Amino acid sequence: MEIKTKACNPANCGKTRDADSIRYIVLHYTANLGDTAKNNADYFAREKVKASAHYFVDENEVWNSVPVEKAAWHCGGDLQGSGGHTFHGKCTNANSIGVEICMLTKNAVIRKDSIRNTAKLVRRLMAKYHIDADHVIRHFDVTGKQCPAPMVADQGVWDNFKVMLTQEETEMRYKYYDDMPDWAKPTIAKLVRKGLLKGDCDGAHNLSEDALKVFVVNDRAGLYGE
């Protein structure tokens, strides 16, 4: 996974900190429809908004905005709503990494590939900073803010993300068509339509990401016809 960098405006982040102080990874969503990781990085580099995140992630790219050795201003603020305050007073800007997901399409549909890319990034951050899955949390869990909203409104979306954190990148498998990344779906649909790929009795394919890539490359080479 390539991580691109565009430093935020210095007015949008805090002081340098010791990497050993990092205890949490906090998930957010940008709440913008159809946005990209790059245009978020561009915005925070250009504007002074007194807010920030370390990373922005979409289905295609990851951009680092605040160096991890500095605190980003992403999970502070007053308590909101009811519940979701499990980590209030424990997780702070000073001891956490903030990750913003470009989560919604222009039609407000969840972008599953953005979530998958976020899981890959978070797994790497967990390994690098020795953070376990119990310390990967939502903004909601700190202040009660409905963020990332799709992962608060539907507990299943959050639970599925947490499961992804226990999977190695090389072991990522896609059981059903709907779970597959968008870049692979046209090829898989073609193979099923032509009878070249059949699932089990439940319609499960259980394909690895490497297998999907091979199918797509072959399809682009014209090996499966029209």
Side-chain angles (χ1 to χ4, degrees):
M1 170 183 284
E2 179 185 5
I3 298 176
K4 300 178 180 180
T5 299
K6 188 165 190 176
C8 75
N9 189 304
N12 296 332
C13 65
K15 298 179 181 179
T16 300
R17 61 185 177 177
D18 190 331
D20 290 339
S21 68
I22 299 171
R23 296 285 181 269
Y24 298 91
I25 299 171
V26 182
L27 275 294
H28 307 261
Y29 85 130
T30 61
N32 299 315
L33 302 183
D35 60 340
T36 68
K38 184 181 185 302
N39 64 35
N40 278 281
D42 289 343
Y43 173 80
F44 283 95
R46 182 178 67 248
E47 305 294 335
K48 297 179 181 181
V49 294
K50 299 293 185 180
S52 54
H54 292 95
Y55 296 95
F56 293 95
V57 187
D58 63 26
E59 59 268 71
N60 298 309
E61 295 184 315
V62 178
W63 281 80
N64 174 225
S65 179
V66 177
V68 174
E69 61 267 22
K70 291 188 176 183
W73 295 331
H74 64 99
C75 68
D78 297 331
L79 294 176
Q80 302 182 27
S82 60
H85 307 146
T86 304
F87 292 93
H88 183 69
K90 301 176 183 177
C91 175
T92 66
N93 289 327
N95 67 7
S96 63
I97 296 172
V99 179
E100 289 266 5
I101 312 173
C102 301
M103 195 178 289
L104 300 177
T105 68
K106 291 181 179 180
N107 297 318
V109 176
I110 292 177
R111 295 151 74 174
K112 292 182 179 180
D113 286 349
S114 292
I115 294 177
R116 291 190 185 96
N117 275 347
T118 301
K120 291 180 181 179
L121 170 66
V122 170
R123 284 197 298 269
R124 294 191 182 191
L125 295 174
M126 289 168 64
K128 184 173 182 178
Y129 297 101
H130 309 291
I131 298 171
D132 61 37
D134 289 339
H135 288 79
V136 178
I137 60 179
R138 302 164 292 186
H139 191 181
F140 171 75
D141 300 313
V142 183
T143 68
K145 182 177 181 179
Q146 301 296 297
C147 174
M151 290 178 167
V152 176
D154 187 340
Q155 183 65 32
V157 177
W158 177 240
D159 291 343
N160 287 340
F161 177 81
K162 293 300 287 282
V163 169
M164 291 182 191
L165 301 184
T166 66
Q167 299 172 327
E168 294 293 334
E169 290 184 38
T170 56
E171 295 178 351
M172 178 67 75
R173 304 189 74 82
Y174 300 96
K175 189 172 183 181
Y176 295 106
Y177 175 82
D178 287 345
D179 296 327
M180 295 178 188
D182 291 340
W183 53 263
K185 285 182 177 180
T187 294
I188 299 305
K190 177 190 288 188
L191 293 175
V192 171
R193 184 175 69 252
K194 288 177 169 286
L196 300 174
L197 183 66
K198 296 181 179 179
D200 63 19
C201 59
D202 294 324
H205 296 287
N206 195 31
L207 297 171
S208 69
E209 187 162 5
D210 285 343
L212 293 181
K213 290 177 180 178
V214 170
F215 287 140
V216 169
V217 169
N218 288 344
D219 189 23
R220 290 173 180 173
L223 299 185
Y224 307 133
E226 296 297 328

